[in-house]
Amino acid sequence: MRRLNRKKTLNLMKELDAFPKVPESYVETSTSGGTVSLIAFTAMALLTILEFMVYRDTWMKYEYEVDKDFTSKLRINIDITVAMKCQYVGADVLDLAETMVVSADGLVYEPVIFDLTPQQKEWQRMLQLIQSRLQEEHSLQDVIFKSAFKSASTALPPREDNSLLPPDACRIHGHLYVNKVAGNFHITVGKAIPHPRGHAHLAALVSHDSYNFSHRIDHLSFGELIPGIINPLDGTEKIASDHNQMFQYFITVVPTKLHTYKISAETHQFSVTERERVINHAAGSHGVSGIFMKYDISSLMVTVTEEHMPFWQFLVRLCGIIGGIFSTTGILHGIGRFLVEIICCRFKLGLHKPTPLFLWYKLSCDPLCILHQLWRGNSCTGGQDQTLKCPEAGLKAKRKALGLTTYKALRFCVLFFF
């Protein structure tokens, strides 16, 4: 009984076989089939390699939602060098929510030399080149997100020489925390003095001839400091053409959550619009000389997530490539072989003897008859004085059923091809 049940099971499995095996003696191979197979296998291998490269790659997915966090503080990371001595300049933030000066105790004033060394100039040139490429190709930002924490530090490298020249500039660097509302971070002449109605700067003791707000922004970012991320103002350098000159940067900050396979952090992206003008009260250009960065917080939050193609999707696409190429090449090879057999084999067997085109006008045979005779393998040739005797029975009815237009088209095809 066990043997019988086992045999029935094996027979049932054989009947369910969707891939029957053909004996090798029944298989016929050809040169054309081998050529098509070689082309198909090459295409399969090439597309499989390309698909594997796509599977290994990742892409960034952007999702937008309303930012509901209004109570947390916003961190501002600053590294700016101004071409004035530190005792002449002051930096502070005016918070529009509290209408008072927010303390900038987290900033450090360091006397430095404004001119860069050759190594530092090369670093700045490369950073400006990257900035120009980012403005043209926004997709490069995804590459920067993926390479965060893996790239080299974007900070200005230290000077490689020990210059004996006295410092002629002031480097203001550090970070400070402000409320998540619009504000104005500015660097101008004199130290800031808060008072109940706002704030003021002690600029009366500084001569106008010493005003020089040429500056270099080595780094400016909002939120958590992430090494490897390049911000829009990094590497910016502005040279003042006049002592009383105002530089303005209008910044829109967008809260961003970054989730990649390397890091998970909460930071902020921002876009910036620049403007500069000379202060001339006589010409109607009013204002205060200095560097002003007016920022505004967007109400939308962006979540950037690095995604990867699932393995099952890769398998489905791979099966589609292999099966699609195999089936398509088989169909095309079958059609090509069928056409070759129809056209070439009839010439080889002598079943078709071509007639000059002008003789068809001398033939009284109907085109339907000609096709009928060719299909049966008869010769449809004749001399100039000969006419073919065609079986007229049923042909007139068929011609009438085809209609005059189809009849003319068929006659043209017969005259043209045969």
Side-chain angles (χ1 to χ4, degrees):
M1 288 296 297
R2 290 183 178 179
R3 291 183 178 179
L4 291 176
N5 292 335
R6 184 177 180 182
K7 189 174 183 180
K8 290 181 179 180
T9 304
L10 293 176
N11 293 333
L12 179 62
M13 296 302 294
K14 289 182 180 180
E15 293 178 359
L16 295 177
D17 187 7
F19 308 97
K21 306 301 184 294
V22 181
E24 294 184 359
S25 58
Y26 295 161
V27 178
E28 181 181 357
T29 59
S30 62
T31 305
S32 61
T35 304
V36 174
S37 300
L38 183 61
I39 296 174
F41 293 149
T42 304
M44 288 179 192
L46 180 61
L47 293 180
T48 300
I49 294 174
L50 295 177
E51 188 65 26
F52 181 72
M53 293 175 63
V54 173
Y55 171 71
R56 290 187 56 189
D57 194 13
T58 59
W59 62 88
M60 308 305 292
K61 179 181 179 182
Y62 293 82
E63 297 178 341
Y64 302 89
E65 59 180 322
V66 177
D67 185 14
K68 301 179 182 179
D69 184 11
F70 302 106
T71 59
S72 63
K73 295 291 185 177
L74 175 63
R75 172 170 169 161
I76 305 179
N77 308 294
I78 301 168
D79 191 351
I80 302 175
T81 302
V82 185
M84 292 180 65
K85 294 184 178 181
C86 293
Q87 61 266 26
Y88 295 155
V89 295
D92 61 294
V93 179
L94 180 61
D95 193 335
L96 297 184
E98 299 180 359
T99 63
M100 62 177 295
V101 177
V102 179
S103 176
D105 297 334
L107 300 179
V108 178
Y109 295 79
E110 179 184 352
V112 293
I113 299 175
F114 187 77
D115 292 335
L116 298 176
T117 61
Q119 180 182 355
Q120 292 176 330
K121 288 181 180 180
E122 182 66 19
W123 172 88
Q124 186 184 33
R125 189 187 66 83
M126 291 298 299
L127 192 57
Q128 291 175 351
L129 179 61
I130 295 174
Q131 292 286 13
S132 62
R133 291 292 302 275
L134 285 173
Q135 294 176 2
E136 297 175 358
E137 303 179 19
H138 299 286
S139 59
L140 292 178
Q141 187 65 39
D142 295 348
V143 180
I144 294 177
F145 282 150
K146 295 177 185 178
S147 61
F149 281 137
K150 295 191 299 183
S151 304
S153 176
T154 57
L156 180 69
R159 299 181 69 91
E160 66 271 17
D161 60 344
N162 297 323
S163 178
L164 300 178
L165 297 176
D168 59 350
C170 183
R171 180 190 175 195
I172 304 173
H173 60 96
H175 65 274
L176 49 90
Y177 291 91
V178 298
N179 296 322
K180 292 184 67 174
V181 293
N184 181 9
F185 171 77
H186 52 274
I187 302 174
T188 186
V189 179
K191 302 299 181 181
I193 301 176
H195 59 81
R197 294 187 179 182
H199 77 291
H201 289 265
L202 292 175
L205 302 178
V206 182
S207 174
H208 285 275
D209 296 335
S210 62
Y211 286 12
N212 185 5
F213 284 100
S214 300
H215 61 281
R216 182 177 60 251
I217 303 176
D218 296 326
H219 180 78
L220 179 68
S221 64
F222 296 83
E224 184 179 346
L225 185 60
I226 302 178
I229 299 296
I230 300 177
N231 297 277
L233 286 177
D234 293 353
T236 301
E237 185 177 65
K238 299 291 183 181
I239 304 299
S241 59
D242 192 270
H243 293 293
N244 294 329
Q245 192 160 350
M246 174 188 290
F247 296 91
Q248 293 177 306
Y249 299 92
F250 301 93
I251 299 173
T252 301
V253 184
V254 181
T256 305
K257 291 183 178 180
L258 184 61
H259 301 286
T260 66
Y261 290 102
K262 299 295 181 180
I263 63 171
S264 179
E266 294 186 5
T267 181
H268 292 73
Q269 301 180 84
F270 67 90
S271 60
V272 60
T273 302
E274 304 176 11
R275 183 188 178 191
E276 58 182 79
R277 60 188 175 92
V278 177
I279 304 300
N280 189 352
H281 299 285
S285 178
H286 304 291
V288 179
S289 302
I291 305 168
F292 297 85
M293 297 182 178
K294 299 180 180 180
Y295 60 89
D296 192 8
I297 312 297
S298 175
S299 59
L300 292 179
M301 180 175 62
V302 182
T303 302
V304 185
T305 308
E306 185 178 7
E307 293 191 345
H308 187 272
M309 180 187 296
F311 183 71
W312 64 267
Q313 188 175 355
F314 169 70
L315 292 180
V316 171
R317 293 166 65 97
L318 195 62
C319 293
I321 290 174
I322 297 176
I325 293 179
F326 187 80
S327 302
T328 304
T329 52
I331 294 173
L332 294 178
H333 177 255
I335 294 175
R337 188 173 182 179
F338 176 74
L339 295 176
V340 170
E341 289 179 354
I342 289 179
I343 296 174
C344 298
C345 292
R346 299 187 68 85
F347 286 98
K348 292 181 179 180
L349 296 177
L351 298 178
H352 176 71
K353 298 179 180 179
T355 303
L357 184 62
F358 69 90
L359 291 180
W360 285 104
Y361 293 99
K362 302 295 183 178
L363 299 178
S364 62
C365 187
D366 192 276
L368 289 175
C369 173
I370 295 173
L371 291 178
H372 179 70
Q373 295 295 332
L374 289 176
W375 179 259
R376 295 180 58 184
N378 297 331
S379 175
C380 284
T381 60
Q384 291 184 351
D385 298 331
Q386 278 185 315
T387 58
L388 293 176
K389 296 182 180 180
C390 302
E392 298 290 338
L395 289 179
K396 292 184 179 180
K398 293 180 182 179
R399 183 175 60 193
K400 188 175 182 180
L402 287 173
L404 185 59
T405 303
T406 310
Y407 171 76
K408 290 182 178 180
L410 183 61
R411 183 180 178 82
F412 174 79
C413 292
V414 171
L415 295 177
F416 185 81
F417 289 105
F418 293 94

